[in-house]
Amino acid sequence: MTDEAALTTALRRGTIEYCVLALLDKRELYGVELVQQLSTGLGMTTSEGTMYPLLSRLRRNGRIATTWREAPAGPPRRYYTLTADGEAALTHFRTEWVTFRSGVDRILGTES
Amino acid sequence: MTQTDELVAAYLARVERAASRLPAGRREELLGDLREHIEIARAESGAGTEAEVRTILDRLGDPESIVAAADTQTDLPRVTPPAVFPPGPAAPPAPLRPASRTALWIGLGVLAVVMMILFCGSALFMARDDGGPAERPVPPPQPTQAEEPRPSVGP
């Protein structure tokens, strides 16, 4: 892994799960949709598969839940939804993130 | 088995081999999630040509990186318990403190009760001796009363 790739991975590590929660806060999504929106949004179009272990952990931790729904065409889809715990975690992260981001911006001189 | 099915099977077999280090439950869950993803992505891709299936698999990514991601996801919950753990190790001393505090309060309570009994007992004895409401404040007036007459007795 190059230094650049390692940096990107490190930056994503603590934030990507809140991107999952935020996407599901808008509406429930099935796996393929969720993973594609994340990978497109974060420039990870060749590592969609790496998000399933993350989804699996969020489900184990009770921040998201899944529910099967019949689809108009093709196989039934398993939809991911945000739980009350997930919503609370997202609200908390939004506050933390704003504080953290502005601190880093001030130090780096990257305030907009 | 069609050629595209073989592509998918070979891909999943690579994931399974890489995932042999994961606990069985995690491995099965990961394989199930990926199988489901491929099935739905194929259903949505229309023709399901070999090129389309290759694109689906390319987007999923290298099996080794997927399993590496699973490693970090099993690590993250382990990071969370230590955050919960410090109160744990700190907790054993904590129960001791309340316990010793309780012992202290019990000791103080017992001491207070003993002193009350002694005080009441002595008060009762004094009451019996004086035959009246004899409390400590009463004796001091006696000396003052005794002193007052003295000047009058003196001359």
Side-chain angles (χ1 to χ4, degrees):
Chain A
M1 194 183 271
T2 64
D3 285 355
E4 211 171 301
L7 169 65
T8 313
T9 305
L11 288 175
R12 278 176 191 144
R13 198 180 162 95
T15 49
I16 192 167
E17 68 179 88
Y18 296 98
C19 295
V20 171
L21 301 184
L23 284 175
L24 296 178
D25 193 30
K26 288 183 198 151
R27 70 178 183 92
E28 58 176 36
L29 297 164
Y30 59 90
V32 172
E33 280 181 317
L34 176 55
V35 153
Q36 283 177 356
Q37 287 193 18
L38 273 174
S39 61
T40 308
L42 300 171
M44 303 171 68
T45 45
T46 56
S47 42
E48 290 177 352
T50 62
M51 291 165 200
Y52 282 103
L54 167 66
L55 296 180
S56 159
R57 178 172 63 81
L58 289 173
R59 200 167 47 214
R60 281 200 302 279
N61 294 357
R63 291 188 167 178
I64 61 175
T66 53
T67 165
W68 287 97
R69 292 199 203 295
E70 290 298 327
R77 311 288 202 264
R78 194 159 47 118
Y79 278 85
Y80 289 83
T81 58
L82 194 62
T83 64
D85 269 8
E87 210 172 317
L90 176 62
T91 305
H92 179 68
F93 181 79
R94 280 187 167 129
T95 314
E96 290 289 313
W97 174 250
V98 170
T99 311
F100 178 74
R101 186 189 57 195
S102 36
V104 172
D105 277 341
R106 265 196 305 277
I107 293 171
L108 293 182
T110 48
E111 300 104 310
S112 53
Chain B
M1 202 181 241
T2 66
Q3 203 174 343
T4 50
D5 287 340
E6 275 168 31
L7 269 178
V8 171
Y11 179 84
L12 290 173
R14 280 174 63 206
V15 176
E16 192 167 5
R17 267 198 305 281
S20 60
R21 63 175 183 263
L22 295 180
R26 297 279 160 78
R27 183 170 60 238
E28 287 312 311
E29 191 178 25
L30 178 59
L31 283 166
D33 282 344
L34 296 176
R35 211 174 279 127
E36 186 185 317
H37 176 103
I38 295 166
E39 186 192 0
I40 288 163
R42 281 177 83 178
E44 289 177 348
S45 75
T49 63
E50 189 185 321
E52 279 165 345
V53 169
R54 280 187 193 283
T55 304
I56 292 166
L57 300 181
D58 285 348
R59 285 181 62 110
L60 272 178
D62 168 47
E64 186 51 47
S65 353
I66 296 174
V67 174
D71 284 338
T72 66
Q73 294 306 332
T74 48
D75 281 347
L76 279 179
R78 277 187 217 136
V79 173
T80 318
V84 181
F85 237 63
L96 285 180
R97 278 177 203 156
S100 60
R101 260 182 218 155
T102 312
L104 183 68
W105 282 114
I106 288 170
L108 282 173
V110 167
L111 190 67
V113 167
V114 167
M115 284 184 77
M116 281 282 282
I117 289 168
L118 284 176
F119 184 77
C120 291
S122 62
L124 268 174
F125 269 109
M126 285 172 85
R128 271 179 202 165
D129 287 348
D130 296 355
E135 294 265 323
R136 271 178 204 169
V138 179
Q142 281 170 343
T144 52
Q145 277 169 354
E147 270 175 35
E148 267 176 39
R150 243 180 238 169
S152 61
V153 168

